[in-house]
Amino acid sequence: MEETSRRTIRHYQERAEDFWEGTRDHDVSQNIDALLSCLPEGGAGARVLDFGCGPGRDLKSLTERGALAIGLDGSEAFCEMARGYSGCEVYHQDFLALDLPAESFEGIFANASLFHVPTAHLKAVLDALREALVPGGVLFSSNPRGNGEEGWNAERYGVYHDFERWSGWLTGSGFAPLHHYYRPEGLPRSEQHWLASLWEKRASPERR
C-alpha cells in the first residue's frame, strides 16, 4: 500500500467514531441533489457508487432518495459503520487499488474523497471510475479548493485543485463537464472553500 493511503486510512480508522460524531449532521443535500438531478427519473432506481462513503451518512440519504446505492471506503471501521447505518453493500477498497465492475453505475458520488488521491495516481483512479460508469453516466466530485497545493495535513494526504486544474484531469480521463459550483452557498467566494463539479462519461477519452 502506498504511504499516502496507509497513513490517511489509519488516521480515519483510529478516529472513526469522532469523525462520525463530527460530520453526521453536515448538510450536503445540495450535492446529492446535484448528482441525482443529472440522472434519469431523478435518480430513482439508479445505481450509484458512494466513493469514500465514510460511516454512511450520504449512502443512507442516497438510498432514501430512491437510488440503489453501494458504498466504498478504505477504512474497515467506516465500512462496518456504513453497512450498519445504511443497510447497503459497501466495498472495502483502497482508492489506489480499485477493483470495480465495468459499466455498473449510472452515477458516482465522490464527496470529499478524491482530494486524497495523489496527482501521481489521479489519472489511474479517474480512469477506473470512468470504466465503472455506464455510457453517459455522471461523476460528482466535491473537493476543498486551492491552487495546486499537495502534501500532508497532519496524517491526511490531500491535493487542493482549482477548477482549471481539476477540469484538466477530468477531461483527460474521458469526462465532459456538466456544471460546477462553490460551497457553502450564500457566502462570498473567498469563504467558499469547496469546489463541486459534475462530469459525464464521454464515448471515448481524449489523450492528454
Side-chain angles (χ1 to χ4, degrees):
M1 184 185 296
E2 286 284 333
E3 179 73 0
T4 52
S5 282
R6 186 182 65 80
R7 286 173 58 182
T8 301
I9 291 171
R10 183 178 64 191
H11 171 89
Y12 287 116
Q13 184 79 7
E14 292 175 348
R15 296 163 178 80
E17 291 292 343
D18 289 341
F19 181 87
W20 180 225
E21 291 303 317
T23 61
R24 66 187 306 164
D25 295 325
H26 286 187
D27 181 7
V28 296
S29 56
Q30 181 188 14
N31 295 344
I32 293 173
D33 291 343
L35 173 62
L36 296 183
S37 68
C38 291
L39 303 182
E41 306 296 329
R47 296 163 295 174
V48 176
L49 177 68
D50 187 354
F51 183 81
C53 65
R57 178 198 64 204
D58 303 336
L59 193 57
K60 184 175 182 179
S61 294
L62 287 162
T63 301
E64 290 173 344
R65 293 285 299 275
L68 304 177
I70 292 176
L72 182 150
D73 208 276
S75 163
E76 187 173 358
F78 280 170
C79 290
E80 292 176 0
M81 294 165 75
R83 292 183 190 110
Y85 183 68
S86 69
C88 296
E89 181 180 2
V90 179
Y91 301 150
H92 180 212
Q93 295 186 21
D94 179 358
F95 294 175
L96 306 189
L98 295 174
D99 182 18
L100 298 173
E103 296 191 355
S104 293
F105 301 100
E106 281 76 37
I108 295 176
F109 186 70
N111 189 72
S113 54
L114 282 170
F115 83 101
H116 286 310
V117 178
T119 53
H121 299 276
L122 185 54
K123 188 175 190 310
V125 172
L126 293 175
D127 288 350
L129 296 183
R130 180 186 178 279
E131 290 304 311
L133 285 168
V134 300
V138 176
L139 167 67
F140 169 87
S141 73
S142 179
N143 298 315
R145 65 188 185 95
N147 296 299
E149 302 91 343
E150 179 168 2
W152 293 99
N153 179 1
E155 289 297 302
R156 294 185 299 175
Y157 196 87
V159 188
Y160 302 88
H161 305 271
D162 59 19
F163 181 70
E164 182 178 2
R165 291 180 177 86
W166 190 238
S167 181
W169 285 108
L170 271 291
T171 55
S173 284
F175 290 94
L178 294 174
H179 177 51
H180 75 278
Y181 56 92
Y182 299 92
R183 282 177 47 86
E185 287 185 288
L187 296 179
R189 182 59 53 79
S190 61
E191 298 177 31
Q192 292 178 313
H193 300 301
W194 291 85
L195 167 64
S197 55
L198 294 113
W199 307 85
E200 184 178 34
K201 176 180 177 175
R202 287 197 302 254
S204 59
E206 296 178 354
R207 294 185 179 275
R208 291 193 69 188

